[in-house]
Amino acid sequence: MTISQTLKFATDKLSAKKIKLPLLEAEILLSSILKKPREFLLTHPEYNLTAEQVSRSKFQISCRLKGAPIAYLTGHKEFYGLNFKVNKNVLIPRPETELMVNEALKLIMRDPLPMTLLDIGTGSGCIIISLVKNIISKFPSPADVSNFEFLATDISKSTLSIAKQNAKLHGLNKIKFIHADLLSPSVKSKIENLRQRRPARRQAGISAQGGPASGWRDKLWRRKSKIFLANLPYGWKAWKNNCSLDTIGLKFEPEQALFTGENGLELYKKLFRQIKNLAIQPAACHILCEFDPRQTAKIKQLIKQELPWAECQIKKDLAGLNRLAIVRYCRRMPHSAAVPSPLPLNNHNQ
């Protein structure tokens, strides 16, 4: 069969199943088999496929007709302009999750203190890898990049393996991947004992603000601020029982990456309690959490309950739906031990 014949066969099959954009999907699938760009298909319609390629094409189409996501069939998914390897062990990166990367970068650029970024439940690694790539591009000096620590955890070893492969794919060796359940004791110990280095721009006893290298501000500079990034499973029991996984294409994705508990926020509750018990105060930390828009009131209530004195800002995705909670948390200390915050604490509750 030629490329033209193969595309017609695939398009007809997909159209009969009422697949949206059948020709586009047929081209994407065939491109992955031939390892050629889609432009090649358009300029070489008479190119003959091998028997093996024809067989693979028909198999992919049959899988797609059963609802298998294209990302799993091609083994790749684009996220934040980068290509990521995916398989049945990892959740397929969603466009709405790019909001978390955008907001994390804003925090980093607004206040580029020495910083630790922790991706909790990293999955394919798309969030932390996208951040590291952008940080390297925005801070070209190796000395500046050395002010950052990057950690990523996941409860699944097979999932963590894909994340490591993606880091290697993008030429990154700066991320420390840890097999752990959220902030397990081993991760907690690593966070609390991260080296307390001064930022590279401190020289000759002068602080980054230009003042003497002494007092509370000097101590704060030596303490790395932290950003926790969490796109944890937030599907809840009733939703799982009532939705058609066949229709929405979720039955092929790992269930433990999608659903948890009665209200979907059980893992966030556990994470908030772990963060609250970290010995990282008095420095403030930020927590970025993705959630379902229908959980807005519940996640705000959970944050208020589990993280006293926290500030919460809700961000909307491109569809105009509540999607991301940005929490700034600093455990209140005794007055005698209090350290002023380097940034004004403005309440952004919505």
Side-chain angles (χ1 to χ4, degrees):
M1 293 178 69
T2 64
I3 284 178
S4 177
Q5 292 170 334
T6 305
L7 287 177
K8 184 179 186 309
F9 171 83
T11 302
D12 290 345
K13 290 287 186 180
L14 295 172
S15 296
K17 193 70 173 180
K18 301 189 183 303
I19 298 287
K20 294 181 179 179
L21 304 175
L23 177 58
L24 175 61
E25 291 200 4
E27 290 176 347
I28 292 173
L29 292 173
L30 186 54
S31 293
S32 71
I33 292 173
L34 298 180
K35 294 181 171 53
K36 301 283 188 181
R38 286 174 54 212
E39 290 76 12
F40 179 86
L41 308 183
L42 301 176
T43 56
H44 298 79
E46 301 305 317
Y47 179 90
N48 285 300
L49 279 66
T50 66
E52 180 186 359
Q53 289 170 337
V54 171
S55 177
R56 287 182 59 196
S57 176
K58 290 182 177 180
F59 175 74
Q60 282 196 345
I61 294 301
S62 67
C63 291
R64 183 67 185 119
L65 294 175
K66 295 174 183 176
I70 286 185
Y72 285 161
L73 296 176
T74 62
H76 294 274
K77 177 67 175 179
E78 183 176 302
F79 178 86
Y80 216 79
L82 301 172
N83 188 36
F84 289 90
K85 180 178 180 179
V86 296
N87 64 17
K88 63 180 182 180
N89 296 313
V90 300
L91 195 69
I92 298 171
R94 267 63 167 176
E96 54 266 29
T97 304
E98 294 185 357
L99 175 64
M100 183 179 293
V101 179
N102 285 335
E103 294 301 324
L105 285 172
K106 289 179 184 178
L107 290 173
I108 293 166
M109 299 308 297
R110 185 183 70 188
D111 187 29
L113 291 166
M115 187 173 292
T116 301
L117 279 76
L118 305 101
D119 185 9
I120 311 301
T122 190
S124 65
C126 63
I127 294 173
I128 191 71
I129 290 171
S130 298
L131 279 170
V132 175
K133 292 285 286 187
N134 277 271
I135 287 171
I136 291 174
S137 68
K138 295 178 185 298
F139 296 91
S141 167
D144 287 336
V145 176
S146 68
N147 287 328
F148 293 88
E149 299 272 2
F150 306 105
L151 279 73
T153 74
D154 204 281
I155 194 172
S156 167
K157 288 184 178 180
S158 56
T159 298
L160 213 55
S161 174
I162 296 297
K164 291 178 180 178
Q165 291 177 45
N166 279 322
K168 185 177 181 180
L169 175 67
H170 291 286
L172 300 177
N173 59 5
K174 300 179 181 298
I175 305 170
K176 183 178 294 184
F177 292 97
I178 306 170
H179 177 230
D181 180 7
L182 303 181
L183 299 181
S184 65
S186 61
V187 180
K188 180 175 182 288
S189 175
K190 285 183 173 65
I191 295 172
E192 292 173 344
N193 292 296
L194 285 171
R195 60 188 183 277
Q196 304 294 326
R197 296 178 303 182
R198 295 180 181 182
R201 50 184 168 174
R202 281 181 52 84
Q203 296 178 357
I206 303 298
S207 71
Q209 286 83 0
S214 61
W216 69 266
R217 193 175 294 275
D218 179 59
K219 293 178 182 178
L220 188 61
W221 271 107
R222 293 200 304 270
R223 182 186 297 273
K224 285 181 179 290
S225 60
K226 294 169 177 64
I227 297 180
F228 295 89
L229 307 149
N231 183 16
L232 300 175
Y234 50 76
W236 56 97
K237 185 177 180 180
W239 177 41
K240 175 185 175 182
N241 293 339
N242 294 330
C243 71
S244 170
L245 299 187
D246 289 327
T247 301
I248 60 179
L250 295 181
K251 73 173 184 178
F252 294 90
E253 299 191 73
E255 185 171 313
Q256 70 171 5
L258 290 167
F259 300 103
T260 175
E262 293 292 332
N263 65 13
L265 299 178
E266 285 81 359
L267 290 179
Y268 282 122
K269 181 176 182 178
K270 181 178 179 180
L271 177 64
F272 293 159
R273 290 185 175 182
Q274 290 176 333
I275 291 174
K276 183 167 58 177
N277 292 326
L278 284 174
I280 59 174
Q281 283 75 19
C285 68
H286 286 89
I287 311 164
L288 278 64
C289 307
E290 183 176 304
F291 60 92
D292 185 279
R294 292 166 289 182
Q295 296 169 315
T296 301
K298 289 183 178 180
I299 197 166
K300 289 170 68 174
Q301 181 182 8
L302 179 64
I303 291 167
K304 183 177 181 180
Q305 172 186 323
E306 297 296 334
L307 300 173
W309 309 292
E311 297 175 342
C312 176
Q313 183 180 13
I314 302 297
K315 290 288 185 176
K316 298 181 183 296
D317 59 22
L318 292 177
L321 302 173
N322 291 340
R323 182 65 61 183
L324 185 71
I326 303 177
V327 182
R328 187 173 184 208
Y329 174 67
C330 182
R331 185 175 63 192
R332 181 172 291 181
M333 303 294 289
H335 180 72
S336 60
V339 175
S341 169
L343 291 175
L345 294 177
N346 297 319
N347 198 309
H348 298 287
N349 284 300
Q350 293 186 6

